[in-house]
């Protein structure tokens, strides 16, 4: 049984995180990074280590990640984001899991979401899990341009230890990240000939805020919870604004 592990990542301007990622994933038998032609020191810093770095033009998250999977030479894949902190306890659990004769083929990892320096216990993130360990014969990303997930016919297990999801660098950085997601989602809707209307501009952002802040208890996360739910709601509005500009041929 091949129990070797390929640790994969996609990057763009991740000079603040790249070295920490490589060091935390050093338990893997190989590390492969697919970079989207970073303009900062990401590539320079990564090349200091014994890793494989491939540069590929970014089209969408699913395509970029599936390309990375195709480069892996080992059966078991870890695919963490650069803003996820992988503790040693989780690394040890991953090694033990793939070496077990009773291991499943796909595993969720729990994520503790941090925003503006605070661990967000609610706001919709209290049940945040994502596939981060899988056998490459049993999983591929689902083709969504953003918020991509692994598609599999296998039963999905859950590892015991969690990652700290440190997605927040600054407010502007976080807003830029949401803007990128909104643009990719707008492009997908444009390809489906979806035309925005008042329902999209008014109800959808309002519902996102109500869902996260009240139904998913973001109100219990204090002022950070309000800010988080607000910017997520605004990103929904921005998605349809960008879609509207596509039909109007407005830059």
């Amino acid at each position: 049984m091949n129990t070797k592990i390929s640790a994969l990542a996609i990057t763009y301007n991740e000079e603040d995180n790249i070295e920490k990622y490589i060091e935390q994933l050093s338990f893997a038998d190989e590390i492969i990074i697919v970079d989207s032609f970073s303009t900062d020191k990401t590539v320079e810093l990564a090349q200091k280590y014994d890793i494989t770095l491939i540069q590929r033009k970014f089209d969408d998250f699913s395509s970029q990640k599936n390309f990375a999977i195709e480069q892996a030479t080992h059966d078991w894949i870890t695919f963490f984001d650069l803003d996820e902190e992988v503790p040693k306890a989780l690394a040890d659990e991953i090694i033990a899991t793939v070496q077990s004769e009773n291991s499943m083929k796909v595993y969720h990892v729990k994520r503790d979401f941090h925003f503006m320096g605070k661990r967000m216990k609610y706001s919709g993130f209290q049940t945040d899990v994502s596939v981060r360990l899988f056998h490459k014969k049993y999983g591929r990303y689902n083709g969504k341009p953003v918020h991509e997930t692994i598609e599999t016919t296998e039963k999905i297990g859950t590892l015991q230890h969690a990652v700290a999801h440190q997605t927040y660098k600054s407010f502007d950085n976080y807003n830029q990240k949401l803007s990128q997601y909104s643009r990719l989602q707008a492009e997908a809707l444009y390809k489906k000939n979806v035309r925005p209307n008042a329902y999209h501009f008014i109800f959808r952002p309002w519902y996102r805020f109500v869902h996260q802040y009240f139904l998913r208890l973001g109100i219990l996360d204090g002022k950070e919870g309000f800010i988080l739910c607000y910017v997520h709601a605004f990103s929904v509005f921005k998605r349809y604004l960008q879609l509207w500009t596509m039909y109007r041929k407005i830059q």
Side-chain angles (χ1 to χ4, degrees):
M1 185 171 81
N2 183 353
T3 59
K4 289 187 175 182
I5 300 170
S6 296
L8 311 181
I10 62 173
T11 59
Y12 179 72
N13 289 353
E14 290 283 358
E15 64 181 9
D16 293 337
N17 295 321
I18 187 65
E19 291 189 278
K20 181 180 67 177
Y21 168 83
I22 293 173
E23 291 165 1
Q24 290 179 344
L25 275 295
S26 60
F27 67 86
D29 297 282
E30 70 173 354
I31 295 177
I32 299 174
I33 295 171
V34 178
D35 182 75
S36 305
F37 297 96
S38 291
T39 58
D40 65 0
K41 295 182 179 179
T42 299
V43 173
E44 177 185 342
L45 294 172
Q47 289 176 334
K48 291 164 50 179
Y49 298 84
D50 182 21
I51 58 104
T52 299
L53 189 142
I54 304 168
Q55 290 193 300
R56 179 181 187 269
K57 182 180 178 182
F58 181 87
D59 39 18
D60 60 67
F61 285 99
S62 284
S63 298
Q64 201 79 340
K65 289 187 174 183
N66 284 332
F67 173 82
I69 293 172
E70 293 168 2
Q71 313 311 307
T73 59
H74 303 310
D75 287 343
W76 282 98
I77 304 292
T78 66
F79 218 133
F80 291 97
D81 292 342
L82 270 287
D83 57 10
E84 294 174 341
E85 296 179 354
V86 182
K88 186 178 184 303
L90 176 57
D92 292 341
E93 184 181 9
I94 289 172
I95 294 172
T97 298
V98 302
Q99 292 177 346
S100 172
E101 294 182 358
N102 299 318
S103 64
M104 301 168 70
K105 302 301 183 185
V106 184
Y107 288 89
H108 279 137
V109 171
K110 292 173 284 187
R111 303 196 298 175
D112 296 334
F113 188 84
H114 294 253
F115 179 73
M116 300 184 78
K118 181 177 180 177
R119 161 82 188 283
M120 308 301 284
K121 296 182 180 180
Y122 303 99
S123 303
F125 295 98
Q126 54 266 58
T127 55
D128 187 18
V129 297
S130 189
V131 171
R132 290 294 182 260
L133 174 67
F134 58 97
H135 192 292
K136 69 179 181 182
K137 292 182 180 179
Y138 299 93
R140 283 294 186 277
Y141 286 91
N142 59 4
K144 289 186 177 181
V146 66
H147 301 312
E148 68 290 346
T149 57
I150 285 287
E151 283 188 335
T152 182
T153 58
E154 296 290 309
K155 184 177 180 181
I156 303 177
T158 302
L159 297 182
Q160 179 180 352
H161 295 91
V163 296
H165 190 193
Q166 302 283 2
T167 188
Y168 184 87
K169 295 180 183 178
S170 68
F171 187 81
D172 286 343
N173 175 269
Y174 192 76
N175 197 37
Q176 288 170 3
K177 184 182 295 187
L178 292 181
S179 293
Q180 180 190 23
Y181 295 164
S182 296
R183 177 180 57 79
L184 290 169
Q185 290 170 323
E187 290 172 353
L189 292 171
Y190 185 78
K191 292 177 181 178
K192 295 179 180 179
N193 296 317
V194 174
R195 289 186 174 272
N197 53 41
Y199 165 80
H200 298 109
F201 283 115
I202 299 172
F203 178 79
R204 293 294 294 271
W206 173 83
Y207 178 77
R208 170 61 67 85
F209 180 82
V210 169
H211 179 76
Q212 282 192 245
Y213 193 64
F214 293 107
L215 301 182
R216 299 291 282 161
L217 303 178
I219 191 172
L220 300 181
D221 279 324
K223 62 180 179 297
E224 293 88 355
F226 176 84
I227 294 169
L228 179 65
C229 296
Y230 176 82
V231 296
H232 276 239
F234 184 72
S235 74
V236 175
F237 173 81
K238 189 178 292 186
R239 177 197 314 165
Y240 294 104
L241 178 62
Q242 290 173 326
L243 179 60
W244 179 79
T245 62
M246 290 177 188
Y247 282 106
R248 293 298 184 98
K249 309 300 180 184
I250 301 172
Q251 294 297 320

